Amino acid sequence: MAHPKCPSLFHALLNLRKTARGQRLKKLSYRRLFCLERLEERSLLATVIWGNAAGGNWNLNTNWIGGAVPAAGDDVIIPDMVGTPTITYNAGTIAVKSLTINEAFVLAGGTLSATTISQLAGSFTIAGGTLNSSTLAAGKVTVTVGATFGDFTIATGAVLDVSSSATAYLNAAKKLKIQGTANFRTNSVISLDAVNNGTAIIVEGVLNATGTTIAEARSNWATRLQVTGSGILNATNTTFTKTLVELINGATLTSGSWVGNRFDTAIYVPWQTIPYLSAANGGADNVRFKDINILAGTVTSGTTLNL
């Protein structure tokens, strides 16, 4: 028998085997715990495609391929389908990543936001409802009755058309940026909310206003219509009320581009623009001015600045 303090070689090997086996079990338990670690939950953004060739309501699950309405951040496609379906969004609030339109689409209520809107075929009509935080990258948006806009950009080549007698409302501290073309037609009303100084229509492309009214919704005199850089404002028989009109950063008018207008507001124009405000100076007659502010600049020697 081996001495208690000097175990036999057999016992030593047995204890070593037990120790090694315990270590292996311990390592295995660690591996199992590692394999069973809970992963972070994530939701994947999707491309959601309209599926009902008869048209219908955006908010009805069965109208979409896959049986679910678009969720926030999704890419939404209304494909070219058999026939001429009309898809209507009339309730709720949704912010999608992109909206591609190839059939008739109507925004009749609720609030819709799309980082990018491409109206490739069909039509995009606003007959009520709010279009917010969106860019029209391609195509045309037509306002037939009324529309409310948050930040909205009309990209180069795209068109916003406000129909005769329709109303467009720009929310407070928001901007309607026209890089393409906007048409404000006869008897339409463009109303700008004026809680603070952030509300503005910014024209970097072309704005055609014919017999319309562009007015601040309150009496704060804090909204602006800015024509900047290479932007063009063609205004005929249009009334500007409480909304400051500014031609800045080199923007100018061409002869005859302002005809028969009523400026019940202050306008800020480069000195080069002054002759175009009156037929007596080679421009076209306008009905009334409130204040004309000439922006700082160098006047060429011999230039006459009278109305």
Side-chain angles (χ1 to χ4, degrees):
M1 178 179 292
H3 192 280
K5 295 184 178 180
C6 298
S8 66
L9 179 61
F10 173 77
H11 287 97
L13 291 174
L14 180 61
N15 290 336
L16 180 62
R17 184 178 179 185
K18 289 180 179 180
T19 301
R21 182 172 181 271
Q23 289 177 344
R24 285 199 301 273
L25 290 174
K26 188 175 183 181
K27 289 180 180 180
L28 181 60
S29 67
Y30 287 158
R31 290 194 187 104
R32 287 174 177 170
L33 286 173
F34 177 80
C35 293
L36 294 176
E37 181 182 358
R38 184 173 181 176
L39 298 177
E40 177 185 357
E41 293 183 0
R42 296 182 180 179
S43 58
L44 298 178
L45 303 181
T47 297
V48 184
I49 302 174
W50 182 266
N52 188 349
N57 194 310
W58 173 296
N59 292 307
L60 186 61
N61 288 342
T62 54
N63 283 332
W64 298 92
I65 294 175
V69 299
D74 286 345
D75 292 301
V76 180
I77 298 175
I78 298 174
D80 188 1
M81 310 188 79
V82 177
T84 55
T86 297
I87 293 85
T88 301
Y89 184 99
N90 59 13
T93 300
I94 184 67
V96 298
K97 181 181 178 183
S98 67
L99 173 60
T100 302
I101 299 170
N102 288 283
E103 293 292 352
F105 177 77
V106 178
L107 175 60
T111 299
L112 173 66
S113 303
T115 304
T116 301
I117 300 171
S118 299
Q119 185 266 311
L120 303 179
S123 60
F124 185 169
T125 300
I126 304 180
T130 299
L131 186 60
N132 188 38
S133 301
S134 302
T135 294
L136 179 64
K140 178 181 178 180
V141 168
T142 301
V143 179
T144 58
V145 179
T148 299
F149 294 110
D151 288 318
F152 185 39
T153 297
I154 313 299
T156 302
V159 177
L160 169 64
D161 199 295
V162 181
S163 301
S164 297
S165 302
T167 300
Y169 185 88
L170 183 60
N171 279 332
K174 303 299 182 180
K175 292 178 175 60
L176 173 61
K177 185 176 290 188
I178 303 167
Q179 298 172 339
T181 301
N183 302 308
F184 298 162
R185 302 196 181 274
T186 305
N187 296 323
S188 63
V189 176
I190 315 301
S191 182
L192 291 74
D193 200 344
V195 172
N196 56 43
N197 292 325
T199 314
I201 298 174
I202 301 173
V203 182
E204 298 173 350
V206 179
L207 170 57
N208 300 308
T210 305
T212 192
T213 298
I214 300 175
E216 183 179 298
R218 304 173 192 250
S219 298
N220 296 340
W221 298 84
T223 61
R224 284 171 168 76
L225 169 62
Q226 294 180 338
V227 185
T228 179
S230 59
I232 298 172
L233 172 61
N234 296 316
T236 303
N237 301 322
T238 290
T239 299
F240 300 85
T241 302
K242 300 176 185 175
T243 294
L244 303 181
V245 179
E246 300 176 319
L247 274 68
I248 60 176
N249 298 334
T252 60
L253 295 177
T254 56
S255 180
S257 61
W258 281 7
V259 182
N261 302 299
R262 179 186 295 272
F263 294 91
D264 295 328
T265 184
I267 63 172
Y268 293 77
V269 294
W271 68 265
Q272 299 96 326
T273 300
I274 296 299
Y276 299 136
L277 302 181
S278 170
N281 289 283
D285 278 331
N286 290 281
V287 176
R288 186 168 73 182
F289 295 100
K290 183 178 184 294
D291 297 304
I292 299 176
N293 300 276
I294 303 173
L295 301 178
T298 302
V299 179
T300 303
S301 177
T303 301
T304 301
L305 300 179
N306 63 330
L307 286 174

